[in-house]
Amino acid sequence: MDMPIPLRVRLAALWATLMSLYIYNDYFMLYRPGVLGAMAQGKMGPLGPATPTVLIAVSAMLAIPALMIALSVLLPSVASRWLSAAIAIFYTGIEGLTLVGADPAYQIVVALEIVTTLAILAIAVRWPVPRFPGGSEP
């Protein structure tokens, strides 16, 4: 008999899945003709020049879901729930924007990313309200 998987562990697993999808999709897109040459010239795909501001923004965008792997387990339940929901909504929107005009291989993985962020959102919004004193979990 399987034991139920705690919500926090489910969220952490989904955030880890999302990060894996991001990493592998970006990695495999390096095989497209001209991508490495553009990178060598300091260009970052549709974002244009890889300025310090662009690099900071992209780094932050990738760091947030990576941090959510740990934060979904370590934060108090209310914070974990709402932060997971808000970030999942935000990233679902970003992922939707990257679908337009992308290579079919990229679109397939982005579709999986969207399914993953929607699963995170579903778990977060269905998270039961604690019934324990002080709002803590057992």
Side-chain angles (χ1 to χ4, degrees), residues 7-133:
L7 291 177
R8 292 172 178 276
V9 174
R10 290 181 196 180
L11 283 174
L14 287 167
W15 285 114
T17 298
L18 184 65
M19 284 307 304
S20 297
L21 290 168
Y22 284 160
I23 292 165
Y24 283 112
N25 210 17
D26 288 346
Y27 173 76
F28 286 120
M29 288 303 108
L30 294 176
Y31 287 93
R32 290 181 21 233
V35 171
L36 292 177
M39 287 174 65
Q41 294 176 4
K43 296 177 185 167
M44 198 160 188
L47 298 176
T51 64
T53 303
V54 168
L55 292 173
I56 289 169
V58 171
S59 295
M61 285 190 59
L62 288 175
I64 291 168
L67 290 170
M68 286 306 296
I69 298 168
L71 292 177
S72 61
V73 175
L74 300 174
L75 287 175
S77 60
V78 172
S80 179
R81 174 187 188 186
W82 291 112
L83 193 58
S84 288
I87 293 172
I89 291 168
F90 178 73
Y91 279 83
T92 301
I94 289 173
E95 292 152 0
L97 293 173
T98 67
L99 279 172
V100 179
D103 291 342
Y106 188 85
Q107 290 175 329
I108 290 167
V109 178
V110 170
L112 294 171
E113 292 170 3
I114 290 171
V115 168
T116 303
T117 53
L118 291 175
I120 290 168
L121 179 60
I123 289 171
V125 299
R126 291 186 197 147
W127 194 324
V129 176
R131 295 172 290 172
F132 303 98

